Amino acid sequence: MAKGNHKRVRGKPQVHSLLEHYRPIDGVVDEMVDAAGNPRPVWKHFIEALDELGPEKLGQRFARADQYLRDAGVYYRVYDKAGANEREWPLAHVPLLIEDAEWAAISAGLVQRAELFEETIADIYGPNRLIEKGILPAGLIAASPEYLRPVVGTTPAGGHYLHFCAFELGRGPDGQWWVLGDRTQAPSGAGFALENRVATTRALSDIYGEMHVHRLAGFFRRFRDALIGMARESDGRVAILTPGPLNETYYEHAYIARYLGIMLLEGEDLTVSGGRLMVRTVSGLMPISVLWRRLDAAFADPLELRSDSQIGTPGLVEAIRQGAVSTVNALGSGLMETRALLAFLPKISRALRGEELLLPSVATWWCGQAAERAHVLANIDRMVIGPALSTRLAFEDDGQTTLGSALSAGERAELVARIEECGDAFVGQEAVTLSTTPVYVGGWLEPRPASLRVYLARTPAGWTVMPGGFARVGLSLDPTALAMQRGGHAADVWVVSDRPVERETLLPQEGDSFTRTRPGSLPSRAAENLTWLGRYIERSEDTVRILRAYHVRLAETSDPDMPLLADMRDYLEPFGIDVDTAIPLGLIGTLDSAVYSAGQIRDRFSPDGWLALKDLSKTIHQFATTVAPGDDATRAMTVILRKLAGFSGLLHENMYRFAGWRFLEIGRRLERGIQIARTLARLTRAKAPDGALDMMLEIGDSVMTHRRQYPVQAGRRTVIDLLALDPLNPRSILFQLERLKAEIGLLPSVGGEGHMSPAAKEILQLNTAIAIKEPSDMTAEALDELAYEIGGLYNSLSKAYFG
């Protein structure tokens, strides 16, 4: 037994053993221990290391992993009766360990299966020999909603239908791994597997370092290189197509795009022009050669597939037929997920490849055939009955799958009658008893059922298997609790070798050639969201500064009816800011809009930036229920202002100076110019209340600067000179116009080289006009007009770049 972390019982040291209360379940294979309760060889060192840590340190380490996931913003969208909501990624802290030799056998079986699927799809959408020979029922294929007639006869541009697959595995009581289901449509979870690995190694870095665990980065590097290699045209691009932020796994889409350095697009970002798939960017239309789609094929093109789809791209199918774009995976490949097809795979493998399956599927019988239907009905008590055309696993199903042994006599008779009447709508599958893997509960390890999801990617050298994937683990012994939507957890998977493994990374190897990504590939939708993010953050800051100045004076006078405070209350009311509420709903709404805009471009956000923004949002929502007007609100506004400045500084200092940064900066400068002009107009007008000029300097963060610059007390002209016309004051209107002129001038040309855009002309005229003004020229009316003209710049930018 390993030493360390002892506890004393009756004066004697005793090691806390995690296996002390671990009891394998009779008749079920346990991944960690054998039938006698002894650790399997691959687990022995791992368990000893956990025992050395002890429950207190283990709890701290697992809390560290959870904190990482929270900080990184890893979430999974759950849909229930209450609607859609984000749930923190549910990590099962103890990884599933598999030895190298066993993994090699699993990999060989899955590579064989992927090749079989490729040949099967090619036949179904091509010569149809499987149906002609009676190996596949024509009615089963034709009835499937995943059989897409518009792509029948279309050969993929790259020659392959499948490029990225996932397979769900379970180990049965006999110790054999079985395939529970196949994922060929748009497999999800690879990004979550990466996050599982990062979080788990944060907690168990020393143990991970001592064991020879295969790394995941090489798998992603090889697949990324394969995708780039598929973009045959010199101007072709690779992109990931997502259904958008409301999708349950959107976080993963953004994470993978950021990790691999690939554009993340939505259907509205794309258009088909001249038979080619193009992305709308701030530099105009640019071709997409490879599209890794993460949405179901039926939604990809509302013209030829589902007409009610609002997330697809009209004309995409035609571009595919023309060979102008390669899709990963090919449209129609989701057909291989059909549950009933599992019943025919052994025959298909023998017919197409002359081989038996190395990894068998869970036993399945399609009830559209008389003999199979009779077998299912005769053995219904040990069957799982479900929809034949379903593409979901039995434990993922939405209530349509039934365990025969759980039926009452009446329910059983009703189901039998339905199967006899329309058997082709049903499949019977052998009820699976899954193996168990350990989970950490209350200081001890306990067995729970688990399934294993493994990923394969096509490369020029053939299929490569991710050395890990992730395990879905139930929190109870009920196998239906494995599904993430039903409270299942996810565990990292360590493939352990008996010798040192290569430490692969995503970085290029020494001597590898590289190309720098072409500038101007910023999608128009992303540019628009970046602009609005800048505007919302700046608008929030301006509002906070005004509210802080208001509450400082309220705390000093306790008189909300004093003229200056009443005047600011009237000024803010049209903008939805109710100063009688310490944290107005209008301010919360503006910051929520910033979070929404940032959420639309998660792939362009660093984890630190997202964490800072979410922390800011959390703070302001907490203050909304705890802060009172006056001095309390003043302190709260200072905290919010500090966090706003931290977020803005993080973006400003860390964001690469490409077109995206320019649009973010333009948004900030537009909004600051508008807000300063409006507030100046209000507080420097002829009838402004006493104290208005001092408040203006405070709002403009220029009190100290004014004292240094002007040896006189604040007057209307000095305040306007400093906050409107001083080109060196980062809070002045002229400073914003100078920055806008510089950044807009560097945007991609929309009228051809040598031609200024309308927005560039407008800002040049506006900047010149203000630069020659005197303070006396800047009346309240002129300042209001200036705010309007600055706002009009956005319209010109929108027409040029966001349309």
Side-chain angles (χ1 to χ4, degrees), residues 71 122 258 495:
D71 290 348
R258 187 169 62 241
V495 177

Side-chain angles (χ1 to χ4, degrees), residues 567-761:
D567 188 67
M568 291 310 294
R569 188 161 52 247
D570 292 341
Y571 170 65
L572 292 171
E573 185 179 6
F575 302 110
I577 305 298
D578 178 9
V579 294
D580 293 329
T581 304
I583 309 294
L585 290 177
L587 173 60
I588 296 173
T590 300
L591 197 56
D592 285 346
S593 295
V595 174
Y596 175 81
S597 292
Q600 304 295 306
I601 45 175
R602 282 292 298 272
D603 59 309
R604 297 178 181 274
F605 249 80
S606 70
D608 287 339
W610 182 253
L611 176 61
L613 185 58
K614 293 293 284 186
D615 178 60
L616 177 59
S617 176
K618 179 181 178 181
T619 298
I620 200 168
H621 279 275
Q622 287 177 339
F623 283 165
T625 59
T626 59
V627 171
D631 189 58
D632 200 21
T634 301
R635 289 194 298 269
M637 293 303 163
T638 300
V639 172
I640 295 171
L641 192 61
R642 186 169 64 245
K643 293 195 174 188
L644 276 165
F647 173 72
S648 297
L650 189 66
L651 293 186
H652 185 82
E653 291 300 321
N654 295 341
M655 198 169 178
Y656 188 75
R657 281 353 187 220
F658 73 131
W661 180 86
R662 299 196 191 288
F663 281 101
L664 180 71
E665 181 73 357
I666 286 168
R668 291 181 61 214
R669 300 304 173 181
L670 279 173
E671 195 65 30
R672 183 175 291 184
I674 292 169
Q675 298 299 333
I676 290 292
R678 283 177 177 168
T679 312
L680 263 178
R682 184 74 178 195
L683 293 178
T684 63
R685 71 192 195 281
K687 295 182 179 180
D690 289 342
L693 296 178
D694 289 333
M695 179 181 268
M696 185 66 238
L697 288 173
E698 189 176 322
I699 292 169
D701 198 20
S702 297
V703 173
M704 296 298 296
T705 306
H706 186 275
R707 290 174 183 170
R708 288 194 300 267
Q709 294 288 96
Y710 306 95
V712 296
Q713 187 176 358
R716 183 180 185 279
R717 287 189 302 169
T718 61
V719 171
I720 288 179
D721 185 59
L722 181 61
L723 288 173
L725 303 177
D726 191 332
L728 300 181
N729 183 4
R731 292 282 166 182
S732 78
I733 299 172
L734 184 57
F735 187 93
Q736 314 315 312
L737 296 178
E738 293 279 5
R739 295 303 306 149
L740 285 168
K741 182 180 72 171
E743 299 304 338
I744 291 175
L746 292 171
L747 292 179
S749 174
V750 293
E753 293 299 327
H755 292 274
M756 293 181 68
S757 69
K761 292 178 182 178

Side-chain angles (χ1 to χ4, degrees), residues 41-42 97-103 208 210-215 467 494-502:
V42 72
L97 274 55
I98 300 178
E99 61 181 356
D100 216 359
E102 184 173 27
W103 191 259
Y208 180 80
E210 293 167 358
M211 302 179 71
H212 305 311
V213 182
H214 287 274
R215 271 55 175 177
W494 291 7
V495 177
V496 183
S497 176
D498 58 1
R499 58 180 62 88
V501 298
E502 184 178 357

Side-chain angles (χ1 to χ4, degrees), residues 9-22:
V9 180
R10 295 181 182 177
K12 295 182 179 181
Q14 182 181 13
V15 176
H16 176 101
S17 173
L18 292 169
L19 295 182
E20 188 174 332
H21 299 292
Y22 197 84

